Amino acid sequence: MSTPDHADHAGQGLRLAPFRGLRYVPERVGSLAAVTSPPYDVVVRPDGLRHLETADPHNIVRLILPQAATAADRHRQAADTLRRWQEEGILAPDPEPALYVYEQRGDGIIQRGLIGALRLTPPEEGVVLPHEDVMPHIVEDRAALMRDTAANLEPLLFSYRGDGTTTGAAAVIERVIRTTPLLSTTTEDGFAHRLWSVTDPDDLARIAGDLSRQRALIADGHHRWATYQRLRAEQPGPGPWDFGLVLLVDTARYPLRVRAIHRLLHKLPPADALAALAGSFRVRTLDVELPAALDALAEASEADEHGNAYLLAGDGRFHLVDRPDPELLARTVPTDRPRAWRELDATVLHSTLLEHVWRVQDDPEHIGYIHETAAAVAQAERHGGTAVLMHPVHEDVVRELAEQGVTMPRKSTSFGPKPATGLVLRSLTLN
């Protein structure tokens, strides 16, 4: 089993190790686009899951979201599928360890970064900065899946801030993208994806020297990073579990886009949600379509004097909820965190609305987390629940809190564009 060097790295920054990427063999699948998927937590179930399963019999969703009667059966099925696809030549390892330059283009965005195996570091070192809390049941599920498959199936999205110059890792990336890529495909969302390998020792040394001075913000993948840490703690000694698959993006060159993650309150009808707000928030019903409603939400959210705002949906209309009662906030929002944390929409939603006003339990039976706005509204209307649409928080606020060691309420942000799942996997058993 090939394992990166395990010298003492205490006090150093990021260490991104080359690995033998496990990739689809283009001749064995319908198309690379047809076998890719969004990250597991962005797939809208059940409609999006069915769509991906039928796109190609070898779609990666059969590994990241296997379907079976029990959790144990699901994870075992994923492991069996991964092994069978390798035996059948559907997936094959690259000949030598590499870092991978990954480019995404679409929706007016160009994003480039490096995919590799990132050394896991203790939280107290402050090399990797989380900004959200995690849900234990999700970490347990992802840990069981990774344990059974012995693979990192998806690269996490991490960001760091370089000095803005074309030196170090940036210089390698900008030169490599002028060469022929390993793969090139366009997914159905319109994004074009390209991947290159970096194996030259001088290039790898240049990247390593640059990243050793950096620390990273977890942009997307808190649960999977917590899973990496949990699985590493289970291992008796140094080995491949000391590293986890990530995509590192220098946001000084390629700023990430930040979007909100919306809440779907399965068992709270909109009429009940609105009635409970009387006297504690201002509520206005908007006779507009979704785009105009989101514009109204943005305007209310960015109003300095009133701050928190939400858009409720599910009854065929949109209801703008803003101007919370200051006394209610003083009673319900914890005071042991910085002001920037106390004023977050997600903080007020969870501490004030969910816990005290609506008394909704924060568990999967009562709350769903949905990235796509239209999907959240559609599911609420279909099932009689309430969609709570959020306005995104600014990246500077996220980083400022993370650098103070303060985590935001879980599922507070959605950074992107997210790497497509299925372009390169990391098997922990490859020699």
Side-chain angles (χ1 to χ4, degrees):
M1 182 184 301
S2 68
T3 302
D5 172 50
H6 292 279
D8 180 11
H9 298 287
Q12 292 190 18
L14 302 172
R15 178 160 185 249
L16 195 66
F19 69 103
R20 288 182 68 195
L22 188 63
R23 298 190 295 113
Y24 280 99
V25 177
E27 296 78 15
R28 299 301 310 278
V29 297
S31 72
L32 288 175
V35 294
T36 63
S37 164
Y40 80 100
D41 58 336
V42 182
V43 176
V44 178
R45 287 167 269 193
D47 297 349
L49 183 61
R50 278 196 296 266
H51 174 72
L52 291 165
E53 285 181 330
T54 56
D56 188 284
H58 301 108
N59 188 283
I60 193 70
V61 78
R62 296 180 186 276
L63 299 182
I64 62 171
L65 289 173
Q67 299 300 294
T70 68
D73 287 343
R74 289 196 295 273
H75 305 139
R76 193 178 306 114
Q77 178 177 297
D80 290 343
T81 301
L82 178 59
R83 183 176 59 252
R84 187 175 69 252
W85 287 358
Q86 292 180 78
E87 292 171 350
E88 296 174 353
I90 305 300
L91 290 166
D94 283 334
E96 60 182 317
L99 295 181
Y100 296 87
V101 172
Y102 176 48
E103 178 190 84
Q104 294 164 277
R105 285 177 176 263
D107 199 19
I109 291 174
I110 301 176
Q111 179 170 287
R112 296 181 181 125
L114 291 164
I115 294 177
L118 185 67
R119 175 180 61 98
L120 305 187
T121 52
E124 58 269 19
E125 283 191 17
V127 174
V128 173
L129 304 172
H131 71 268
E132 290 183 354
D133 295 328
V134 298
M135 292 176 267
H137 74 279
I138 295 180
V139 175
E140 172 61 37
D141 178 75
R142 292 294 103 180
L145 179 63
M146 284 190 207
R147 199 183 291 117
D148 282 10
T149 58
N152 299 153
L153 301 171
E154 306 181 82
L156 285 54
L157 176 59
F158 281 25
S159 71
Y160 70 99
R161 283 187 176 166
D163 60 10
T165 64
T166 311
T167 59
V172 175
I173 290 172
E174 297 307 317
R175 181 174 52 74
V176 167
I177 61 168
R178 294 195 292 270
T179 65
T180 303
L182 291 175
L183 65 84
S184 179
T185 189
T186 300
T187 45
E188 66 178 6
D189 59 5
F191 272 83
H193 308 263
R194 295 197 293 172
L195 192 76
W196 297 259
S197 65
V198 179
T199 58
D200 179 78
D202 290 340
D203 286 342
L204 295 175
R206 195 169 293 117
I207 291 169
D210 190 356
L211 295 182
S212 69
R213 299 185 293 271
Q214 304 291 345
R215 57 180 178 169
L217 176 73
I218 302 177
D220 186 67
H222 283 82
H223 289 89
R224 287 165 289 169
W225 182 253
T227 299
Y228 289 168
Q229 298 279 18
R230 174 172 175 168
L231 292 174
R232 179 200 189 190
E234 296 175 0
Q235 304 306 312
W241 296 98
D242 293 349
F243 293 75
L245 187 63
V246 306
L247 164 64
L248 273 178
V249 175
D250 177 0
T251 54
R253 298 183 63 79
Y254 301 104
L256 297 177
R257 180 178 57 197
V258 188
R259 287 179 169 170
I261 301 176
H262 311 295
R263 275 61 171 164
L264 177 60
L265 311 182
H266 300 300
K267 299 186 176 182
L268 182 67
D272 295 349
L274 293 166
L277 293 173
S280 58
F281 283 76
R282 182 175 69 167
V283 179
R284 289 174 287 163
T285 299
L286 308 176
D287 187 21
V288 296
E289 298 297 319
L290 178 57
L294 292 173
D295 288 343
L297 173 62
E299 183 177 339
S301 295
E302 293 169 3
D304 292 337
E305 68 271 26
H306 300 297
N308 307 109
Y310 313 90
L311 200 62
L312 304 192
D315 60 356
R317 297 184 295 174
F318 297 101
H319 309 275
L320 184 61
V321 174
D322 65 355
R323 299 194 179 185
D325 175 13
E327 292 184 3
L328 175 64
L329 297 183
R331 289 198 316 272
T332 57
V333 176
T335 58
D336 60 345
R337 308 280 183 92
R339 177 179 174 181
W341 180 89
R342 298 197 305 271
E343 294 179 350
L344 290 170
D345 287 340
T347 297
V348 172
L349 173 62
H350 284 261
S351 298
T352 303
L353 285 168
L354 294 177
E355 290 185 25
H356 292 272
V357 176
W358 292 328
R359 300 191 181 279
V360 173
Q361 298 178 46
D362 193 356
D363 59 47
E365 182 181 350
H366 294 87
I367 303 180
Y369 293 85
I370 299 181
H371 292 71
E372 294 298 328
T373 309
V377 174
Q379 289 204 32
E381 292 180 348
R382 186 183 310 162
H383 301 294
T386 298
V388 183
L389 306 183
M390 311 277 286
H391 185 65
V393 65
H394 293 289
E395 181 184 357
D396 289 345
V397 175
V398 176
R399 186 174 289 273
E400 175 191 334
L401 288 171
E403 290 175 348
Q404 296 177 58
V406 178
T407 54
M408 299 165 64
R410 50 183 169 255
K411 299 295 183 182
S412 293
T413 62
S414 176
F415 283 88
K418 304 178 191 302
T421 298
L423 296 181
V424 61
L425 290 62
R426 176 178 177 249
S427 170
L428 280 71
T429 62
L430 283 175
N431 292 320

